[in-house]
Amino acid sequence: MKDLTRCVITPEVNTEGFKSLAVGVHRASTIVFDNAADYANRGARGPDGYSYGLYGTPTTRTLEAKLTALEQGARTFLVPSGQAANTIAVLPFLKAGDGILIADTAYPPMRDFADTDLDRFGVEVDYYDPLDLSDLERRINSRTKIVWCESPGSTTMEVQDLPRIAQLAHKHGALVGCDNTWATPINYKPLSLGADIVTEGLTKYIAEHSDLLLGSLTVRDERLVAPIRSTLGRLGISVSPDDASMVLRGMETLGVRMQHSSEVAMSLIERLQASEVVERVLYPALPTDPSYTVWQRDFTGASAVFSVIFKPGIANHVPSSLDVLQTFAIGASWGGTRSLVAPMPVKGHRSATKWAGDDLILRISVGLEDPQDLIDDIDAVLADITSRVRVDR
Ligand SMILES: *Cc1c(COP(=O)(O)O)cnc(C)c1O
């Protein structure tokens, strides 16, 4: 063999006895075959075999298997983002003339996808009150193919009664999808409560380090596997094994991170609630929250993302007060090691329900910094807002 060829062809080394606790990063577009007959018969390897990098590598399959076990589902697919998980969860099951019913509190880009693309393709898009089963019952019809849930809802944190929603949807022959990014499968298992498809923004808590984007969808029933797999193939969607391995690494500590951050969140919430400028904190794990009963029944824990509503007329002071923050960063997304705040508008993202309060909610995500530094930050922001309100008066 000549040197130029040696540079290209990789020698095989002995891997016997190499059992690492880490998952190897297997990169591939091409998969090679031992002989021409194997190549010709590659279709016979089936979906669990390997034929082309687009359809999976041992690294991505490992993450999929881990998520399938946690979600208690039949099969998981990885996609490039949580938003992609949501769109791919519904695309294979809709055609012109069908209907989709979406919780009014769904992740705003999901609404945008439905209003722009599904509508353009002739799908009837409607929204329902996430807390009002009779509203859903009024809107569901024989054309409805999917009832989309997100629990708790984006920003306003309403927990849906998934078992009853699923019962109603299934009676009408519709599938139920649920975005589980807030709780993660550690704290909520939508598939065991009646959902047919569950999606995760792995980007958030499961990956944790604010350095990658990835999403997953898991189905309860084997019959949903083929339509999703073939849609992903036709659209040419696949994920990097490097990203998958980062998620596998991050998720080993998911349980302790969630436990810790939710406890710290509760102590920050107590401080916020005691402030004269705060009207209410939206967090289903609070016994005073309207969603507490259903949360307690269906969830085994909480994450550390919550929303703050200020007293009337105060919200316009909030954005400039965020400049006093020392430890919290200002930014979108959440669920990372770094604590984050983001002022969120709500009104423009609601159509089946009306948002009556000020159009600014402060979303807070608690990370892993020293709790005292976070408390000091919250105290400083509250003091700054209070002083601005006094000057205003
Ligand atoms: C952030 C988020 C997503 C999307 O995740 P990306 O990976 O950022 O696309 C989906 N659903 C909810 C509820 C989210 O908060």
Side-chain angles (χ1 to χ4, degrees), residues 179-209:
D179 183 333
N180 193 33
T181 302
W182 183 84
T184 83
I186 289 278
N187 287 327
Y188 191 44
K189 298 200 192 298
L191 298 185
S192 61
L193 294 169
D196 301 284
I197 307 171
V198 59
T199 62
E200 307 284 345
L202 304 175
T203 309
K204 309 277 173 65
Y205 277 107
I206 298 179
E208 172 82 5
H209 294 80

PDB file of all heavy atoms in Angstrom, residues 179-209:
ATOM      1  N   ASP A 179     -46.045  18.664  23.785  1.00  0.00           N
ATOM      2  CA  ASP A 179     -44.699  19.235  23.955  1.00  0.00           C
ATOM      3  C   ASP A 179     -44.353  19.169  25.448  1.00  0.00           C
ATOM      4  O   ASP A 179     -45.026  19.789  26.272  1.00  0.00           O
ATOM      5  CB  ASP A 179     -44.727  20.687  23.447  1.00  0.00           C
ATOM      6  CG  ASP A 179     -43.367  21.376  23.500  1.00  0.00           C
ATOM      7  OD1 ASP A 179     -42.530  21.008  24.348  1.00  0.00           O
ATOM      8  OD2 ASP A 179     -43.166  22.313  22.704  1.00  0.00           O
ATOM      9  N   ASN A 180     -43.303  18.402  25.769  1.00  0.00           N
ATOM     10  CA  ASN A 180     -42.954  18.132  27.178  1.00  0.00           C
ATOM     11  C   ASN A 180     -41.641  18.808  27.577  1.00  0.00           C
ATOM     12  O   ASN A 180     -40.943  18.340  28.484  1.00  0.00           O
ATOM     13  CB  ASN A 180     -42.848  16.608  27.374  1.00  0.00           C
ATOM     14  CG  ASN A 180     -42.797  16.197  28.824  1.00  0.00           C
ATOM     15  OD1 ASN A 180     -43.406  16.832  29.686  1.00  0.00           O
ATOM     16  ND2 ASN A 180     -42.051  15.139  29.111  1.00  0.00           N
ATOM     17  N   THR A 181     -41.297  19.890  26.902  1.00  0.00           N
ATOM     18  CA  THR A 181     -39.985  20.509  27.120  1.00  0.00           C
ATOM     19  C   THR A 181     -39.816  21.026  28.553  1.00  0.00           C
ATOM     20  O   THR A 181     -38.735  20.910  29.127  1.00  0.00           O
ATOM     21  CB  THR A 181     -39.777  21.648  26.102  1.00  0.00           C
ATOM     22  OG1 THR A 181     -39.897  21.090  24.789  1.00  0.00           O
ATOM     23  CG2 THR A 181     -38.411  22.291  26.241  1.00  0.00           C
ATOM     24  N   TRP A 182     -40.860  21.565  29.140  1.00  0.00           N
ATOM     25  CA  TRP A 182     -40.735  22.124  30.500  1.00  0.00           C
ATOM     26  C   TRP A 182     -40.412  21.049  31.529  1.00  0.00           C
ATOM     27  O   TRP A 182     -39.486  21.187  32.320  1.00  0.00           O
ATOM     28  CB  TRP A 182     -42.011  22.872  30.891  1.00  0.00           C
ATOM     29  CG  TRP A 182     -41.952  23.531  32.241  1.00  0.00           C
ATOM     30  CD1 TRP A 182     -41.415  24.756  32.527  1.00  0.00           C
ATOM     31  CD2 TRP A 182     -42.443  23.009  33.495  1.00  0.00           C
ATOM     32  NE1 TRP A 182     -41.539  25.025  33.879  1.00  0.00           N
ATOM     33  CE2 TRP A 182     -42.168  23.964  34.500  1.00  0.00           C
ATOM     34  CE3 TRP A 182     -43.086  21.819  33.871  1.00  0.00           C
ATOM     35  CZ2 TRP A 182     -42.511  23.785  35.838  1.00  0.00           C
ATOM     36  CZ3 TRP A 182     -43.434  21.644  35.203  1.00  0.00           C
ATOM     37  CH2 TRP A 182     -43.141  22.618  36.170  1.00  0.00           C
ATOM     38  N   ALA A 183     -41.190  19.971  31.519  1.00  0.00           N
ATOM     39  CA  ALA A 183     -41.064  18.982  32.600  1.00  0.00           C
ATOM     40  C   ALA A 183     -39.962  17.965  32.340  1.00  0.00           C
ATOM     41  O   ALA A 183     -39.351  17.463  33.285  1.00  0.00           O
ATOM     42  CB  ALA A 183     -42.386  18.261  32.812  1.00  0.00           C
ATOM     43  N   THR A 184     -39.698  17.639  31.084  1.00  0.00           N
ATOM     44  CA  THR A 184     -38.820  16.541  30.668  1.00  0.00           C
ATOM     45  C   THR A 184     -39.431  15.203  31.129  1.00  0.00           C
ATOM     46  O   THR A 184     -40.241  15.179  32.074  1.00  0.00           O
ATOM     47  CB  THR A 184     -37.361  16.625  31.209  1.00  0.00           C
ATOM     48  OG1 THR A 184     -37.301  16.092  32.532  1.00  0.00           O
ATOM     49  CG2 THR A 184     -36.798  18.032  31.159  1.00  0.00           C
ATOM     50  N   PRO A 185     -39.023  14.085  30.511  1.00  0.00           N
ATOM     51  CA  PRO A 185     -39.619  12.795  30.914  1.00  0.00           C
ATOM     52  C   PRO A 185     -39.281  12.391  32.348  1.00  0.00           C
ATOM     53  O   PRO A 185     -39.854  11.433  32.882  1.00  0.00           O
ATOM     54  CB  PRO A 185     -39.021  11.804  29.899  1.00  0.00           C
ATOM     55  CG  PRO A 185     -37.862  12.488  29.283  1.00  0.00           C
ATOM     56  CD  PRO A 185     -38.136  13.947  29.344  1.00  0.00           C
ATOM     57  N   ILE A 186     -38.378  13.109  32.999  1.00  0.00           N
ATOM     58  CA  ILE A 186     -38.102  12.832  34.416  1.00  0.00           C
ATOM     59  C   ILE A 186     -39.342  13.155  35.263  1.00  0.00           C
ATOM     60  O   ILE A 186     -39.637  12.472  36.239  1.00  0.00           O
ATOM     61  CB  ILE A 186     -36.922  13.730  34.898  1.00  0.00           C
ATOM     62  CG1 ILE A 186     -35.617  13.270  34.287  1.00  0.00           C
ATOM     63  CG2 ILE A 186     -36.825  13.777  36.411  1.00  0.00           C
ATOM     64  CD1 ILE A 186     -34.993  12.111  35.011  1.00  0.00           C
ATOM     65  N   ASN A 187     -40.039  14.222  34.901  1.00  0.00           N
ATOM     66  CA  ASN A 187     -41.133  14.697  35.745  1.00  0.00           C
ATOM     67  C   ASN A 187     -42.535  14.522  35.160  1.00  0.00           C
ATOM     68  O   ASN A 187     -43.524  14.802  35.842  1.00  0.00           O
ATOM     69  CB  ASN A 187     -40.927  16.182  36.079  1.00  0.00           C
ATOM     70  CG  ASN A 187     -39.798  16.383  37.081  1.00  0.00           C
ATOM     71  OD1 ASN A 187     -39.582  15.537  37.956  1.00  0.00           O
ATOM     72  ND2 ASN A 187     -39.064  17.473  36.958  1.00  0.00           N
ATOM     73  N   TYR A 188     -42.622  14.103  33.906  1.00  0.00           N
ATOM     74  CA  TYR A 188     -43.947  13.982  33.282  1.00  0.00           C
ATOM     75  C   TYR A 188     -43.828  12.993  32.137  1.00  0.00           C
ATOM     76  O   TYR A 188     -42.887  13.092  31.346  1.00  0.00           O
ATOM     77  CB  TYR A 188     -44.378  15.354  32.763  1.00  0.00           C
ATOM     78  CG  TYR A 188     -45.819  15.495  32.306  1.00  0.00           C
ATOM     79  CD1 TYR A 188     -46.878  14.961  33.044  1.00  0.00           C
ATOM     80  CD2 TYR A 188     -46.125  16.201  31.144  1.00  0.00           C
ATOM     81  CE1 TYR A 188     -48.193  15.124  32.624  1.00  0.00           C
ATOM     82  CE2 TYR A 188     -47.442  16.380  30.724  1.00  0.00           C
ATOM     83  CZ  TYR A 188     -48.471  15.845  31.469  1.00  0.00           C
ATOM     84  OH  TYR A 188     -49.769  16.023  31.063  1.00  0.00           O
ATOM     85  N   LYS A 189     -44.799  12.078  32.064  1.00  0.00           N
ATOM     86  CA  LYS A 189     -44.761  11.073  31.008  1.00  0.00           C
ATOM     87  C   LYS A 189     -46.069  11.101  30.219  1.00  0.00           C
ATOM     88  O   LYS A 189     -46.981  10.292  30.461  1.00  0.00           O
ATOM     89  CB  LYS A 189     -44.506   9.690  31.609  1.00  0.00           C
ATOM     90  CG  LYS A 189     -43.151   9.595  32.340  1.00  0.00           C
ATOM     91  CD  LYS A 189     -42.696   8.176  32.501  1.00  0.00           C
ATOM     92  CE  LYS A 189     -41.521   8.041  33.458  1.00  0.00           C
ATOM     93  NZ  LYS A 189     -40.299   8.744  33.024  1.00  0.00           N
ATOM     94  N   PRO A 190     -46.179  12.039  29.281  1.00  0.00           N
ATOM     95  CA  PRO A 190     -47.437  12.199  28.544  1.00  0.00           C
ATOM     96  C   PRO A 190     -47.927  10.920  27.854  1.00  0.00           C
ATOM     97  O   PRO A 190     -49.142  10.701  27.760  1.00  0.00           O
ATOM     98  CB  PRO A 190     -47.111  13.284  27.505  1.00  0.00           C
ATOM     99  CG  PRO A 190     -46.010  14.083  28.133  1.00  0.00           C
ATOM    100  CD  PRO A 190     -45.196  13.074  28.907  1.00  0.00           C
ATOM    101  N   LEU A 191     -47.006  10.064  27.394  1.00  0.00           N
ATOM    102  CA  LEU A 191     -47.452   8.860  26.686  1.00  0.00           C
ATOM    103  C   LEU A 191     -48.217   7.921  27.617  1.00  0.00           C
ATOM    104  O   LEU A 191     -49.112   7.198  27.176  1.00  0.00           O
ATOM    105  CB  LEU A 191     -46.258   8.113  26.068  1.00  0.00           C
ATOM    106  CG  LEU A 191     -45.448   8.865  25.004  1.00  0.00           C
ATOM    107  CD1 LEU A 191     -44.374   7.949  24.411  1.00  0.00           C
ATOM    108  CD2 LEU A 191     -46.331   9.430  23.899  1.00  0.00           C
ATOM    109  N   SER A 192     -47.874   7.931  28.900  1.00  0.00           N
ATOM    110  CA  SER A 192     -48.598   7.037  29.806  1.00  0.00           C
ATOM    111  C   SER A 192     -49.890   7.685  30.298  1.00  0.00           C
ATOM    112  O   SER A 192     -50.684   7.058  30.993  1.00  0.00           O
ATOM    113  CB  SER A 192     -47.713   6.618  30.981  1.00  0.00           C
ATOM    114  OG  SER A 192     -47.334   7.753  31.713  1.00  0.00           O
ATOM    115  N   LEU A 193     -50.131   8.945  29.900  1.00  0.00           N
ATOM    116  CA  LEU A 193     -51.382   9.628  30.278  1.00  0.00           C
ATOM    117  C   LEU A 193     -52.300   9.810  29.069  1.00  0.00           C
ATOM    118  O   LEU A 193     -53.264  10.556  29.124  1.00  0.00           O
ATOM    119  CB  LEU A 193     -51.069  10.983  30.910  1.00  0.00           C
ATOM    120  CG  LEU A 193     -50.335  10.922  32.258  1.00  0.00           C
ATOM    121  CD1 LEU A 193     -49.827  12.296  32.666  1.00  0.00           C
ATOM    122  CD2 LEU A 193     -51.245  10.343  33.338  1.00  0.00           C
ATOM    123  N   GLY A 194     -51.968   9.139  27.963  1.00  0.00           N
ATOM    124  CA  GLY A 194     -52.883   9.157  26.830  1.00  0.00           C
ATOM    125  C   GLY A 194     -52.362   9.805  25.567  1.00  0.00           C
ATOM    126  O   GLY A 194     -52.961   9.665  24.505  1.00  0.00           O
ATOM    127  N   ALA A 195     -51.252  10.543  25.641  1.00  0.00           N
ATOM    128  CA  ALA A 195     -50.724  11.158  24.413  1.00  0.00           C
ATOM    129  C   ALA A 195     -50.159  10.077  23.493  1.00  0.00           C
ATOM    130  O   ALA A 195     -49.717   9.014  23.952  1.00  0.00           O
ATOM    131  CB  ALA A 195     -49.636  12.172  24.748  1.00  0.00           C
ATOM    132  N   ASP A 196     -50.209  10.335  22.192  1.00  0.00           N
ATOM    133  CA  ASP A 196     -49.663   9.400  21.208  1.00  0.00           C
ATOM    134  C   ASP A 196     -48.238   9.764  20.825  1.00  0.00           C
ATOM    135  O   ASP A 196     -47.454   8.903  20.438  1.00  0.00           O
ATOM    136  CB  ASP A 196     -50.541   9.421  19.944  1.00  0.00           C
ATOM    137  CG  ASP A 196     -51.969   9.044  20.272  1.00  0.00           C
ATOM    138  OD1 ASP A 196     -52.221   7.841  20.480  1.00  0.00           O
ATOM    139  OD2 ASP A 196     -52.824   9.954  20.369  1.00  0.00           O
ATOM    140  N   ILE A 197     -47.920  11.058  20.896  1.00  0.00           N
ATOM    141  CA  ILE A 197     -46.592  11.552  20.515  1.00  0.00           C
ATOM    142  C   ILE A 197     -46.163  12.562  21.568  1.00  0.00           C
ATOM    143  O   ILE A 197     -46.953  13.427  21.963  1.00  0.00           O
ATOM    144  CB  ILE A 197     -46.630  12.266  19.144  1.00  0.00           C
ATOM    145  CG1 ILE A 197     -47.267  11.361  18.083  1.00  0.00           C
ATOM    146  CG2 ILE A 197     -45.230  12.700  18.712  1.00  0.00           C
ATOM    147  CD1 ILE A 197     -47.549  12.058  16.767  1.00  0.00           C
ATOM    148  N   VAL A 198     -44.915  12.465  22.016  1.00  0.00           N
ATOM    149  CA  VAL A 198     -44.394  13.464  22.940  1.00  0.00           C
ATOM    150  C   VAL A 198     -43.129  14.062  22.328  1.00  0.00           C
ATOM    151  O   VAL A 198     -42.331  13.345  21.715  1.00  0.00           O
ATOM    152  CB  VAL A 198     -44.131  12.867  24.343  1.00  0.00           C
ATOM    153  CG1 VAL A 198     -43.131  11.719  24.298  1.00  0.00           C
ATOM    154  CG2 VAL A 198     -43.632  13.936  25.306  1.00  0.00           C
ATOM    155  N   THR A 199     -42.990  15.372  22.447  1.00  0.00           N
ATOM    156  CA  THR A 199     -41.792  16.019  21.913  1.00  0.00           C
ATOM    157  C   THR A 199     -41.012  16.687  23.048  1.00  0.00           C
ATOM    158  O   THR A 199     -41.589  17.082  24.067  1.00  0.00           O
ATOM    159  CB  THR A 199     -42.145  17.102  20.870  1.00  0.00           C
ATOM    160  OG1 THR A 199     -42.936  18.124  21.490  1.00  0.00           O
ATOM    161  CG2 THR A 199     -42.898  16.514  19.700  1.00  0.00           C
ATOM    162  N   GLU A 200     -39.697  16.762  22.832  1.00  0.00           N
ATOM    163  CA  GLU A 200     -38.829  17.424  23.811  1.00  0.00           C
ATOM    164  C   GLU A 200     -37.909  18.404  23.080  1.00  0.00           C
ATOM    165  O   GLU A 200     -37.334  18.045  22.046  1.00  0.00           O
ATOM    166  CB  GLU A 200     -37.915  16.407  24.533  1.00  0.00           C
ATOM    167  CG  GLU A 200     -38.606  15.226  25.178  1.00  0.00           C
ATOM    168  CD  GLU A 200     -39.318  15.579  26.482  1.00  0.00           C
ATOM    169  OE1 GLU A 200     -39.056  16.663  27.043  1.00  0.00           O
ATOM    170  OE2 GLU A 200     -40.147  14.756  26.912  1.00  0.00           O
ATOM    171  N   GLY A 201     -37.750  19.584  23.633  1.00  0.00           N
ATOM    172  CA  GLY A 201     -36.652  20.449  23.212  1.00  0.00           C
ATOM    173  C   GLY A 201     -35.447  20.024  24.052  1.00  0.00           C
ATOM    174  O   GLY A 201     -35.273  20.480  25.174  1.00  0.00           O
ATOM    175  N   LEU A 202     -34.645  19.133  23.523  1.00  0.00           N
ATOM    176  CA  LEU A 202     -33.478  18.632  24.275  1.00  0.00           C
ATOM    177  C   LEU A 202     -32.505  19.766  24.567  1.00  0.00           C
ATOM    178  O   LEU A 202     -31.725  19.709  25.510  1.00  0.00           O
ATOM    179  CB  LEU A 202     -32.767  17.519  23.487  1.00  0.00           C
ATOM    180  CG  LEU A 202     -33.618  16.318  23.080  1.00  0.00           C
ATOM    181  CD1 LEU A 202     -32.802  15.365  22.203  1.00  0.00           C
ATOM    182  CD2 LEU A 202     -34.138  15.571  24.297  1.00  0.00           C
ATOM    183  N   THR A 203     -32.565  20.788  23.710  1.00  0.00           N
ATOM    184  CA  THR A 203     -31.815  22.034  23.863  1.00  0.00           C
ATOM    185  C   THR A 203     -31.845  22.586  25.291  1.00  0.00           C
ATOM    186  O   THR A 203     -30.876  23.174  25.753  1.00  0.00           O
ATOM    187  CB  THR A 203     -32.483  23.094  22.949  1.00  0.00           C
ATOM    188  OG1 THR A 203     -32.612  22.539  21.642  1.00  0.00           O
ATOM    189  CG2 THR A 203     -31.711  24.385  22.910  1.00  0.00           C
ATOM    190  N   LYS A 204     -32.968  22.392  25.969  1.00  0.00           N
ATOM    191  CA  LYS A 204     -33.183  23.033  27.270  1.00  0.00           C
ATOM    192  C   LYS A 204     -32.575  22.179  28.381  1.00  0.00           C
ATOM    193  O   LYS A 204     -31.380  22.055  28.462  1.00  0.00           O
ATOM    194  CB  LYS A 204     -34.688  23.268  27.470  1.00  0.00           C
ATOM    195  CG  LYS A 204     -35.368  23.988  26.288  1.00  0.00           C
ATOM    196  CD  LYS A 204     -35.226  25.488  26.337  1.00  0.00           C
ATOM    197  CE  LYS A 204     -35.726  26.220  25.105  1.00  0.00           C
ATOM    198  NZ  LYS A 204     -37.158  26.146  24.843  1.00  0.00           N
ATOM    199  N   TYR A 205     -33.399  21.604  29.253  1.00  0.00           N
ATOM    200  CA  TYR A 205     -32.863  20.909  30.430  1.00  0.00           C
ATOM    201  C   TYR A 205     -32.021  19.688  30.093  1.00  0.00           C
ATOM    202  O   TYR A 205     -31.067  19.364  30.796  1.00  0.00           O
ATOM    203  CB  TYR A 205     -34.001  20.457  31.351  1.00  0.00           C
ATOM    204  CG  TYR A 205     -34.454  21.551  32.253  1.00  0.00           C
ATOM    205  CD1 TYR A 205     -35.664  22.182  32.046  1.00  0.00           C
ATOM    206  CD2 TYR A 205     -33.645  21.989  33.293  1.00  0.00           C
ATOM    207  CE1 TYR A 205     -36.074  23.206  32.857  1.00  0.00           C
ATOM    208  CE2 TYR A 205     -34.041  23.016  34.109  1.00  0.00           C
ATOM    209  CZ  TYR A 205     -35.254  23.618  33.890  1.00  0.00           C
ATOM    210  OH  TYR A 205     -35.646  24.633  34.695  1.00  0.00           O
ATOM    211  N   ILE A 206     -32.397  18.948  29.074  1.00  0.00           N
ATOM    212  CA  ILE A 206     -31.771  17.640  28.886  1.00  0.00           C
ATOM    213  C   ILE A 206     -30.321  17.805  28.433  1.00  0.00           C
ATOM    214  O   ILE A 206     -29.420  17.130  28.924  1.00  0.00           O
ATOM    215  CB  ILE A 206     -32.640  16.757  27.961  1.00  0.00           C
ATOM    216  CG1 ILE A 206     -34.000  16.541  28.658  1.00  0.00           C
ATOM    217  CG2 ILE A 206     -31.958  15.432  27.657  1.00  0.00           C
ATOM    218  CD1 ILE A 206     -35.008  15.720  27.899  1.00  0.00           C
ATOM    219  N   ALA A 207     -30.053  18.764  27.534  1.00  0.00           N
ATOM    220  CA  ALA A 207     -28.666  19.042  27.141  1.00  0.00           C
ATOM    221  C   ALA A 207     -27.977  19.950  28.155  1.00  0.00           C
ATOM    222  O   ALA A 207     -26.790  19.814  28.428  1.00  0.00           O
ATOM    223  CB  ALA A 207     -28.625  19.679  25.767  1.00  0.00           C
ATOM    224  N   GLU A 208     -28.739  20.902  28.656  1.00  0.00           N
ATOM    225  CA  GLU A 208     -28.373  21.745  29.811  1.00  0.00           C
ATOM    226  C   GLU A 208     -27.352  22.852  29.620  1.00  0.00           C
ATOM    227  O   GLU A 208     -27.397  23.853  30.296  1.00  0.00           O
ATOM    228  CB  GLU A 208     -27.921  20.842  30.980  1.00  0.00           C
ATOM    229  CG  GLU A 208     -27.336  21.542  32.198  1.00  0.00           C
ATOM    230  CD  GLU A 208     -28.404  22.087  33.153  1.00  0.00           C
ATOM    231  OE1 GLU A 208     -29.582  21.830  32.915  1.00  0.00           O
ATOM    232  OE2 GLU A 208     -28.037  22.767  34.114  1.00  0.00           O
ATOM    233  N   HIS A 209     -26.396  22.738  28.702  1.00  0.00           N
ATOM    234  CA  HIS A 209     -25.270  23.678  28.752  1.00  0.00           C
ATOM    235  C   HIS A 209     -25.355  24.851  27.775  1.00  0.00           C
ATOM    236  O   HIS A 209     -24.358  25.536  27.540  1.00  0.00           O
ATOM    237  CB  HIS A 209     -23.952  22.910  28.594  1.00  0.00           C
ATOM    238  CG  HIS A 209     -23.706  21.995  29.758  1.00  0.00           C
ATOM    239  ND1 HIS A 209     -24.308  20.759  29.865  1.00  0.00           N
ATOM    240  CD2 HIS A 209     -22.979  22.150  30.883  1.00  0.00           C
ATOM    241  CE1 HIS A 209     -23.952  20.192  31.003  1.00  0.00           C
ATOM    242  NE2 HIS A 209     -23.146  21.006  31.637  1.00  0.00           N
TER     243      HIS A 209
END
